[in-house]
Amino acid sequence: MTDETGSPAAAPDREQLLAALRPVAFGIAYRMLGSVTEAEDVVQEALLRVHRALQSGEQLASPRAFTATVTTRLAMDELRSARVRRERYVGAWLPEPILTDGQGAGQDPARAAETADSLSMALLVLLESLSPEQRAVLLLHDVFGYGYDEVATIVGKGEANVRQLAVRARRHVENRRPRFTTTPEQQTELASRFFTAARTGDLAGLESLLAHDVELVGDGGGKAPSLARSQRGRSRVAHTLTNWLRALRRLPEMEIRLTEVNGDPGAMFLVEGRLLAVWALDVRGGQVAGVRAVVNPDKLVHLGPVGDANALIRRLGGLRPGD
């Protein structure tokens, strides 16, 4: 890949270049790690290394390629450590959500990772089943458009090996990805109907929008009330969602703010202006096939002030997530 930016000559130029490279680094790191916090740490270290290289007078043929290499290798190391932590994670693990419709602009548009494509929670969860090397190769080639020779240099493996990694990773992901797609317009319309039905307690209307094998996943991380395990099935999921919303509707300060989460339709749930949860919908074939609810406060702090879910539950009289 070529870089039209060129090598910087002075400090102001270096700062501008680093600012331009930040979305590149974050786009790779977030997709590798599924965590805003971990990605930010990787980006900070990667750009520091780029800065040192430029400051020392090193001539970088392509600062963008250099940044991608450093970021990918740091992210691979971080992913190996993160996997050990995720094995001890309480409950289901979901990626930290990113708002991709502009509402998160105050949190730095770079966190939209340059484009909403390939950011969906469903895909990021699928990528968790790949090895760090497979994940890096698949993302660099299929998402970021690097040639196999460039990917081989970045991950430090032979080109033939890289091609094999890509084939295996692609086969694994494609075998588990949905076969049906829905247009953005259909997604927006369906999401509006979904949240209207949920907000008003229209159980029959909600059920009609759900796929028969719809899955509901909640991520509380042991720090906020959530499902002990994921739920499947139209009737069960619809009842759980309407029970949740019925309780929340008792709070006059509760607001459901429709938004775009990781490129998919979703919503922010706020109480007294503080964020309580972020839901992302997996829409396929004209139905909601998955609902992913992130309530772990540690995964929401980058989006603004976070509410105390445990205090809220006590205020509502002890509602349990499975009720």
Side-chain angles (χ1 to χ4, degrees):
M1 270 185 133
T2 60
D3 179 48
E4 67 280 1
T5 312
S7 298
D13 297 323
R14 284 200 300 270
E15 294 305 317
Q16 291 178 5
L17 178 61
L18 290 172
L21 292 173
R22 187 178 184 281
V24 175
F26 188 88
I28 294 173
Y30 176 75
R31 286 175 175 85
M32 282 289 293
L33 299 166
S35 165
V36 173
T37 306
E38 294 167 0
E40 289 285 16
D41 290 341
V42 165
V43 170
Q44 183 176 356
E45 176 61 26
L47 294 184
L48 179 60
R49 295 189 186 186
V50 175
H51 175 75
R52 287 173 178 166
L54 296 172
Q55 196 173 38
S56 68
E58 184 177 346
Q59 296 299 309
L60 302 180
S62 171
R64 185 183 181 94
F66 183 82
T67 301
T69 299
V70 174
T71 301
T72 300
R73 292 179 180 178
L74 287 171
M76 288 169 64
D77 290 340
E78 177 62 26
L79 185 57
R80 294 184 183 99
S81 299
R83 288 193 159 188
V84 175
R85 295 194 297 273
R86 290 171 193 175
E87 288 175 359
R88 301 191 297 267
Y89 194 80
V90 179
W93 179 93
L94 290 175
E96 293 179 17
I98 288 180
L99 305 185
T100 49
D101 67 347
Q103 291 192 48
Q107 315 303 324
D108 185 355
R111 289 178 179 165
E114 293 191 288
T115 172
D117 294 342
S118 69
L119 274 177
S120 76
M121 283 200 175
L123 176 59
L124 292 178
V125 169
L126 269 181
L127 294 179
E128 283 291 299
S129 60
L130 301 178
S131 70
E133 291 80 8
Q134 288 177 322
R135 189 163 180 163
V137 168
L138 185 68
L139 289 172
L140 289 170
H141 183 270
D142 289 14
V143 175
F144 293 99
Y146 286 88
Y148 284 117
D149 56 335
E150 296 170 299
V151 176
T153 299
I154 290 173
V155 300
K157 292 185 176 293
E159 185 174 340
N161 193 356
V162 161
R163 288 179 179 273
Q164 289 180 342
L165 286 170
V167 168
R168 291 170 187 156
R170 198 175 295 119
R171 183 185 302 124
H172 181 82
V173 170
E174 290 301 326
N175 284 344
R176 299 173 62 185
R177 291 187 81 172
R179 297 291 185 266
F180 304 101
T181 59
T182 305
T183 66
E185 294 77 17
Q186 290 173 320
Q187 287 188 344
T188 300
E189 192 270 339
L190 186 62
S192 177
R193 291 166 56 199
F194 173 90
F195 285 108
T196 295
R199 184 188 288 114
T200 59
D202 180 3
L203 180 61
L206 191 60
E207 281 197 50
S208 70
L209 302 174
L210 302 178
H212 75 278
D213 58 347
V214 61
E215 181 181 30
L216 171 62
V217 182
D219 178 349
K223 299 187 177 184
S226 185
L227 295 168
R229 61 187 63 84
S230 62
Q231 294 187 356
R232 282 189 178 274
R234 178 181 292 145
S235 178
R236 189 176 185 187
V237 169
H239 276 85
T240 298
L241 294 178
T242 51
N243 285 343
W244 280 354
L245 270 296
R246 183 183 301 116
L248 289 176
R249 285 199 308 274
R250 288 157 48 192
L251 298 170
E253 314 91 339
M254 198 273 287
E255 175 189 1
I256 301 178
R257 188 180 300 170
L258 300 190
T259 184
E260 186 180 276
V261 181
N262 289 63
D264 287 328
M268 303 168 67
F269 290 76
L270 303 100
V271 175
E272 298 177 340
R274 292 184 172 272
L275 186 60
L276 191 68
V278 170
W279 289 11
L281 304 184
D282 181 10
V283 178
R284 334 175 196 142
Q287 293 181 308
V288 175
V291 181
R292 292 174 174 83
V294 180
V295 293
N296 183 343
D298 292 346
K299 294 188 175 185
L300 302 175
V301 292
H302 62 283
L303 299 175
V306 178
D308 186 341
N310 290 298
L312 178 62
I313 294 300
R314 291 193 296 271
R315 190 170 157 193
L316 290 172
L319 172 75
R320 297 190 305 273
D323 289 347

